[in-house]
Amino acid sequence: MKPFRYVAVLGLAAVGAYFASQQMISAAPPAKPLSSFDPQAKALLAQMTLDEKIGQMTQPDQESIKDLSDIERYFVGSILSGGSSDPKEGNSLQAWTDLYDRLQQHTTLTRLKIPILYGIDAVHGHNNILGAVIFPHNIGLGCTRNPALVEKVERVTAEEVRATGIQWAFAPCVTVPQDIRWGRTYEGFSEDPAVVKELAGPAVRGFQGTDLASPLSVLACAKHYIGDGGTSFGSTRRGQGLDQGDTRVDEATLRRIHLQGYISAVREGAASIMPSYSSWNGVKVSGDKHLLTEILKQELGFQGFLISDYNAIDQINPNYKTAIGISINAGMDMAMVPARYKEYIADLKQLVEEGVVPMARIDDAVVRILRVKFAMGMLDTKRSQLADRTLQKSFGSPEHRAVARQAVRESLVLLKNQNKVLPLKKTAARIHVGGKSADDLGNQCGGWTIDWQGKSGEVTPGGTTVLAAIKKAVSGKTEVTFSKDGTGAAGATLGVVVIGEKPYAEGNGDRADLKVAQEDVDAVANMKSAGIPVVVILFSGRPMILGTVLDQADAVVAAWLPGTEGAGITDVLFGDFKPKGKLSYAWPRSMEQVAKHPGDKDYAPLFPLGYGLTF
Ligand code: BGC
């Protein structure tokens, strides 16, 4: 559990045909409008009591449901696993699937038998489950500038999610981070709204497919609406950092920068959206009717439902009941109330009885949720809502890993390549590998990997570190040696040093200083002191201030947080593929340059947006 302070199978032929042609993927027709399910949704609504309706609007965390009969007692419509909320039997594919089935079975004990939507943060693959393929975080996908690839990545993610029964991913994150000191920078494709707009739609299509009713489709959730990436440094409740802070811009700017991803996500039929914890000019987005109802639902024509962020409603007003009223009346349809679900349910019922929340608002919220459930085939009585375990055959499979490997190699941005040190020769006599992240899958994957914050070390089975990938790529005669601190390189033909950030998520990654750590600077210097060409690979959730590392390195590759498939890096290092990633964030020269954008005074990035060398 997160600390409170932050706050039926498609035939193989169909799957094969899908992978066969990227062209076909992108040419897919837009999904059926959700409102076409209104007749069924309204007929069901007409049979529901107020308690049953409020139940549909409630999402507890599985970990907090101590007595599973609460599911039928409160007619719970949705459940989540927040970061690190694993099955109590442990973290395995079977335990996750059993958990989903167990909870789903409880809904059959209710009068109307409306199944639950189970939500999880599948933000770079099905990243909570041991053995899942972990894809590059969005910052890397943004550097690929490849919409068909992004769609393919989310299609594979959807398939791994469905293998556990789960039908809802809290993704894609379509934030447009404007200040790389933010700990969620890596969750955004780009600082450039045009890039986010271009990739948001394909990401949604990857999750939802062309038909939400397909057993391989997963409900997408574009997040965090709106302006989560535009907060001012120091504007948070704690007075530090950026996460969950205040975005201080006029409406034209808010729309120009932060609305763009939602325009393409909604056009693509994104059926859920998560409002942000953050505020816009001092008002919490999760309680702002203009943003939630007028712009998103009325102007953009969003027909799906809004799910509040984890305990986000609590931040709207010190009085919980007042906060609930403000949020629901502003247009929130379902509340992520991990532990406080009983209180939320009782308060919302009272608010309706007191006339503070109109029945029409409740009905609108429930119709929006039921539309999605009908569209997903969840109310088709002929169809089992239990997990389809035959999908587990491809969970973490070589085919899925191949897609991630492609995403890794296309995401790499070559920043420097002096004297054409890259590509390396597979026949080099000896390669000395160094750096704390060369043999550290956890650092390679970053936050939101198995644990909410991620962790250094052997975070999940089945992945390939850079060291392992180099050993595999080189000729039989090449010797590969390794030392974390880069010492012992004398006599080697060349050195590869893998450095960067250690895992973090959300506000825990807010930083005032983005200098590369001293141990990393030292590892590069140690390697260089052997007098050999040095290639630096940087794992980071954002551009970093490179300092002497840039001078000492002969080649520098920004690899972002690439995930489990380290062979995508050696594909490029050894020249099997040319580097083609383009920066999706400008690379600052110094901290003074951070949060500056084209047109700002003194804007002079070290490497501009779109920069990226090739061989
Ligand atoms: C994050 C969301 C996430 C949710 C559920 C929140 O802390 O802001 O991005 O979807 O938790 O885990």
Side-chain angles (χ1 to χ4, degrees):
M1 168 83 68
K2 298 175 191 181
F4 193 67
R5 68 193 147 112
Y6 283 126
V7 220
V9 197
L10 260 195
L12 274 177
V15 180
Y18 173 80
F19 285 106
S21 153
Q22 290 194 355
Q23 220 51 44
M24 199 179 80
I25 299 168
S26 303
K32 203 163 153 192
L34 285 170
S35 56
S36 63
F37 295 93
D38 278 13
Q40 297 100 301
K42 287 182 178 160
L44 181 52
L45 180 82
Q47 299 174 47
M48 293 169 77
T49 63
L50 178 57
D51 291 323
E52 286 167 333
K53 290 176 185 177
I54 290 176
Q56 287 302 309
M57 299 170 67
T58 307
Q59 186 189 63
D61 191 306
Q62 66 85 17
E63 215 173 40
S64 303
I65 310 177
K66 298 296 172 220
D67 176 357
L68 291 192
S69 63
D70 275 2
I71 296 173
E72 56 263 27
R73 188 171 307 120
Y74 296 103
F75 311 101
V76 167
S78 179
I79 294 177
L80 91 146
S81 273
S84 308
S85 163
D86 296 345
K88 61 178 184 311
E89 293 77 15
N91 188 340
S92 71
L93 182 56
Q94 294 318 322
W96 276 99
T97 316
D98 293 345
L99 169 67
Y100 167 86
D101 277 355
R102 186 159 68 234
L103 300 176
Q104 195 61 278
Q105 266 155 348
H106 271 268
T107 63
T108 63
L109 305 173
T110 60
R111 186 175 74 96
L112 295 170
K113 304 184 174 32
I114 304 175
I116 48 159
L117 264 167
Y118 199 114
I120 198 159
D121 292 292
V123 299
H124 62 149
H126 197 7
N127 48 253
N128 287 282
I129 287 75
L130 282 174
V133 177
I134 306 295
F135 290 87
H137 269 296
N138 283 353
I139 190 170
L141 297 181
C143 294
T144 70
R145 301 288 205 285
N146 184 343
L149 177 59
V150 169
E151 182 175 346
K152 204 151 97 174
V153 162
E154 304 307 13
R155 199 83 277 260
V156 171
T157 300
E159 200 179 311
E160 298 215 346
V161 169
R162 285 314 290 245
T164 54
I166 297 175
Q167 335 92 319
W168 187 8
F170 300 134
C173 184
V174 299
T175 184
V176 193
Q178 297 297 292
D179 185 332
I180 60 173
R181 289 173 292 183
W182 188 33
R184 306 194 80 159
T185 300
Y186 65 79
E187 295 187 59
F189 293 118
S190 178
E191 69 170 58
D192 180 355
V195 174
V196 177
K197 189 175 188 179
E198 188 190 8
L199 300 180
V204 167
R205 194 159 57 229
F207 282 113
Q208 296 193 168
T210 51
D211 185 0
L212 267 172
S214 158
L216 290 181
S217 290
V218 159
L219 170 61
C221 182
K223 71 187 190 184
H224 312 81
Y225 179 83
I226 180 178
D228 55 346
T231 59
S232 300
F233 197 88
S235 69
T236 66
R237 285 186 300 164
R238 291 164 293 136
Q240 293 161 6
L242 298 122
D243 194 43
Q244 308 184 8
D246 189 20
T247 296
R248 296 166 180 161
V249 294
D250 62 18
E251 186 165 334
T253 308
L254 188 75
R255 286 172 178 261
R256 180 174 54 79
I257 298 174
H258 302 284
L259 190 62
Q260 300 309 310
Y262 297 94
I263 295 175
S264 52
V266 170
R267 192 181 294 146
E268 201 51 54
S272 76
I273 291 178
M274 186 185 292
S276 181
Y277 281 121
S278 56
S279 306
W280 176 42
N281 294 328
V283 177
K284 283 283 172 189
V285 172
S286 296
D288 189 327
K289 189 169 182 178
H290 177 55
L291 296 175
L292 304 191
T293 298
E294 293 172 10
I295 296 185
L296 198 50
K297 294 182 176 177
Q298 294 168 355
E299 190 184 315
L300 293 193
F302 169 62
Q303 297 181 351
F305 67 90
L306 297 177
I307 169 76
S308 69
D309 204 344
Y310 199 96
N311 285 325
I313 289 180
D314 308 45
Q315 297 189 21
I316 296 173
N317 190 284
N319 180 300
Y320 192 47
K321 188 173 157 189
T322 305
I324 294 167
I326 293 172
S327 191
I328 302 292
N329 280 336
M332 196 69 77
D333 301 304
M334 185 189 282
M336 191 187 290
V337 280
R340 276 179 113 169
Y341 61 96
K342 294 179 198 169
E343 203 182 338
Y344 158 84
I345 288 171
D347 284 350
L348 183 53
K349 189 170 183 189
Q350 269 184 22
L351 287 163
V352 177
E353 287 164 352
E354 289 160 4
V356 177
V357 173
M359 197 60 175
R361 177 72 268 278
I362 298 287
D363 287 350
D364 171 55
V366 177
V367 165
R368 285 171 175 275
I369 294 162
L370 292 180
R371 268 177 189 162
V372 172
K373 292 190 175 181
F374 276 106
M376 296 187 78
M378 290 173 62
L379 289 143
D380 178 348
T381 49
K382 294 188 292 294
R383 195 162 140 176
S384 165
Q385 295 305 320
L386 299 183
D388 176 358
R389 294 180 194 238
T390 62
L391 293 175
Q392 297 186 350
K393 281 197 300 287
S394 62
F395 187 88
S397 65
E399 292 74 20
H400 287 185
R401 291 187 190 279
V403 174
R405 180 170 172 171
Q406 181 189 352
V408 173
R409 63 177 175 253
E410 292 196 23
S411 70
L412 303 179
V413 179
L414 181 59
L415 297 175
K416 178 178 180 183
N417 192 20
Q418 195 167 274
N419 305 324
K420 300 206 168 106
V421 57
L422 290 179
L424 306 178
K425 288 200 178 55
K426 291 181 184 172
T427 51
R430 180 183 154 213
I431 300 178
H432 190 64
V433 181
K436 66 171 189 272
S437 298
D439 197 26
D440 192 312
L441 203 61
N443 290 356
Q444 192 172 305
C445 291
W448 297 105
T449 309
I450 308 306
D451 283 338
W452 175 38
Q453 294 293 319
K455 58 181 171 220
S456 295
E458 287 173 40
V459 68
T460 187
T464 307
T465 64
V466 174
L467 178 64
I470 290 176
K471 286 182 177 162
K472 213 161 167 195
V474 293
S475 73
K477 290 195 202 96
T478 303
E479 192 192 353
V480 179
T481 50
F482 171 64
S483 70
K484 253 191 186 173
D485 64 3
T487 54
T493 322
L494 56 101
V496 177
V497 196
V498 190
I499 60 170
E501 293 188 299
K502 289 184 180 160
Y504 55 79
E506 300 191 43
N508 290 327
D510 284 2
R511 299 273 185 278
D513 187 358
L514 295 172
K515 263 202 315 282
V516 168
Q518 193 56 44
E519 63 176 316
D520 291 343
V521 172
D522 293 346
V524 174
N526 287 339
M527 191 73 92
K528 194 65 201 170
S529 69
I532 53 174
V534 172
V535 177
V536 168
I537 295 166
L538 180 70
F539 289 157
S540 63
R542 48 198 155 192
M544 300 197 70
I545 307 303
L546 294 169
T548 57
V549 167
L550 183 63
D551 311 325
Q552 295 201 320
D554 297 274
V556 179
V557 178
W560 316 112
L561 299 170
T564 46
E565 303 318 303
I569 295 174
T570 44
D571 282 345
V572 171
L573 282 191
F574 292 101
D576 294 335
F577 292 85
K578 288 195 164 83
K580 53 179 184 177
K582 303 279 172 227
L583 285 182
S584 64
Y585 290 83
W587 200 290
R589 211 172 281 278
S590 67
M591 283 314 287
E592 285 71 51
Q593 290 268 311
V594 161
K596 287 204 177 15
H597 299 279
D600 290 350
K601 197 171 155 280
D602 303 331
Y603 181 67
L606 180 59
F607 304 113
L609 202 64
Y611 181 86
L613 304 172
T614 191
F615 303 149

